[in-house]
Amino acid sequence: MSGATTRTRRWAVALAVATGVAGGLATFAVPAGATPPVPASGTLTWSVTPEGEQSTRSLGTVASAQRPERTSIEEFPTEPLDKPVNTVVAELDATVPGGTAAAVDVRGLRTDGTWSEWAEITADAAAVLPELTRSVQTRLVLTAPDGAGFPDVRQIDLTAWNAEEVQASAPAGERTYRVFATREGLVGGTTANGHVIKSRDHFVALPSRRGLANRGSGNYTVQVCTSDDARCEWAPVWDVGPWNTKDDYWNADRQMWHDLPQGKPQAQAAYQDGYNGGRDGFGRRVANPAGIDLADGTFWDGLGLRDNAWVNVTYEWTGSGAWGTIATSSTPLNVRSGPRSSAAQVGLAARHAQVRIECQVTGQSVSGTQGTSDLWYRLAPGKFVARAYVDTAVAPAAC
């Protein structure tokens, strides 16, 4: 089949099967022995067409993971659907040279206005969303070695339906884990979502793109605190790393390393326990147990760290309840120990961060981007931000 490109048949889950020859064409087909999924109820179909020029895409190098490859992430507009769905498959019309890869991720809009994690469509399984949704977004992720061209994806056809046997998974509450944090640095580099890293920047990297936020968005945000919770920063996830790129250790159904306990990064297990021969998923000797990378501003200014350290990380999108988006004009928002500007600064909330709100109290009146208000939101015990700088999506109850 070298020299020709074929399309998958209906219901087939798309996966590039490389010819193994550099620069050769890829054939898209159902793997031998695989059974294409069959919808349990009516289907909805739509197509997306990638941009023709790579320069229009979000180009990155997965800066935190320090891989000798380039990443192209293209996000498509949200598709409004006539019926609720929870299962999605895809077909690709594409040419994928050997050594490169093309992947399709989807996510669904939840009833509270937040997004589910990105789920990759694979050759063996459809992407299953955690709850029924009428809004699905698709993104195309291309990778290629330095110096090589990206795959040429001409069209993506998607099919979605309600698999009635799939039960909605109610959020079990925000997940918090103690992990080792390192400083990313890499000023001037490009993150996995295409953000160019600035001096004293405010974002984090996690070792999986399932929680990778859109560029300029905080739809996946973490609350990262010092080990004693004295200082915290709420920061968006804009990069993939450190070490691994498919280690969503905060999930029970993690993509890889299924025998590790939930909440333990693979790099930590490799460093402390000799797991996987002490190497990461790319075969590199693991030199530290890091499960999160912090941009310089988050590291120095938000948490006040001077060296790599153990921190407490809460993955905000895994929770439920009231939430809003930090809407400062440029700089991070001060987090105070009480509902007034004179209270001690105990952390920062980065611009664009999407934060869960525990409750609200009345305090000092403040004027900001969202008007004038005497309400203050408690994001965590002893951690308050002024309502005047929060674009509130779901309002909280009183404390």
Side-chain angles (χ1 to χ4, degrees):
M1 306 259 325
S2 180
T5 300
T6 61
R7 292 175 62 116
T8 52
R9 60 189 175 90
R10 192 169 178 82
W11 308 128
V13 180
L15 180 73
V17 182
T19 62
V21 179
L25 298 179
T27 301
F28 287 79
V30 179
T35 302
V38 178
S41 59
T43 63
L44 299 170
T45 60
W46 70 99
S47 299
V48 295
T49 303
E51 295 287 345
E53 296 295 331
Q54 291 293 336
S55 60
T56 64
R57 296 180 180 168
S58 171
L59 299 179
T61 56
V62 192
S64 180
Q66 291 287 281
R67 295 290 301 153
E69 63 185 15
R70 294 174 301 135
T71 301
S72 169
I73 298 179
E74 183 174 1
E75 295 152 352
F76 302 97
T78 301
E79 184 72 20
L81 303 175
D82 294 334
K83 295 179 291 186
V85 302
N86 58 13
T87 307
V88 187
V89 295
E91 301 176 7
L92 274 71
D93 178 7
T95 302
V96 181
T100 69
V104 176
D105 297 339
V106 292
R107 65 179 181 177
L109 192 65
R110 293 169 166 156
T111 54
D112 69 352
T114 63
W115 287 97
S116 66
E117 279 191 346
W118 290 100
E120 182 179 346
I121 298 173
T122 72
D124 301 316
V128 177
L129 303 175
E131 64 180 69
L132 290 169
T133 182
R134 289 178 180 265
S135 299
V136 174
Q137 186 175 21
T138 306
R139 72 180 178 189
L140 173 65
V141 182
L142 306 177
T143 57
D146 284 340
F150 282 109
D152 177 22
V153 180
R154 293 170 286 277
Q155 183 168 303
I156 305 171
D157 298 323
L158 297 114
T159 302
W161 67 92
N162 175 11
E164 297 174 354
E165 68 275 12
V166 175
Q167 299 297 317
S169 54
E174 289 181 324
R175 301 167 204 160
T176 301
Y177 296 107
R178 179 178 180 269
V179 299
F180 194 70
T182 47
R183 183 177 68 85
E184 177 162 346
L186 302 174
V187 174
T190 305
T191 68
N193 75 353
H195 171 73
V196 177
I197 303 172
K198 301 176 297 184
S199 176
R200 286 191 122 84
D201 220 334
H202 291 267
F203 67 87
V204 306
L206 293 177
S208 168
R209 71 171 188 266
R210 291 180 75 172
L212 178 66
N214 309 60
R215 181 169 53 179
S217 165
N219 41 37
Y220 303 103
T221 288
V222 297
Q223 171 195 325
V224 55
C225 302
T226 54
S227 58
D228 59 0
D229 291 327
R231 293 188 63 84
C232 299
E233 177 163 325
W234 283 257
V237 183
W238 283 354
D239 206 358
V240 176
W243 297 112
N244 292 298
T245 59
K246 290 190 176 183
D247 184 27
D248 53 320
Y249 58 82
W250 56 90
N251 288 324
D253 61 337
R254 60 202 293 171
Q255 280 185 285
M256 295 180 65
W257 324 113
H258 305 291
D259 54 334
L260 290 176
Q262 184 177 0
K264 188 168 189 175
Q266 188 274 342
Q268 180 181 338
Y271 183 81
Q272 293 178 334
D273 311 323
Y275 182 87
N276 195 44
R279 300 181 182 276
D280 70 1
F282 300 104
R284 299 174 297 182
R285 177 70 61 179
V286 174
N288 60 56
I292 189 170
D293 254 352
L294 311 180
D296 289 354
T298 303
F299 189 93
W300 287 323
D301 305 324
L303 300 189
L305 298 177
R306 292 297 174 263
D307 199 358
N308 299 334
W310 293 94
V311 295
N312 300 319
V313 182
T314 301
Y315 310 84
E316 296 281 88
W317 64 91
T318 64
S320 60
W323 66 277
T325 301
I326 302 302
T328 54
S329 57
S330 58
T331 58
L333 179 62
N334 285 319
V335 177
R336 302 287 182 180
S337 62
R340 57 196 178 279
S341 298
S342 60
Q345 193 240 49
V346 290
L348 296 170
R351 183 187 182 205
H352 304 304
Q354 186 173 292
V355 300
R356 291 291 178 182
I357 305 167
E358 291 186 345
C359 56
Q360 67 182 22
V361 299
T362 301
Q364 178 188 356
S365 181
V366 174
S367 295
T369 60
Q370 304 302 298
T372 300
S373 176
D374 62 359
L375 293 178
W376 287 68
Y377 290 157
R378 192 178 81 190
L379 305 185
K383 307 290 190 299
F384 296 84
V385 293
R387 161 70 180 86
Y389 289 98
V390 181
D391 182 4
T392 308
V394 177
C399 294

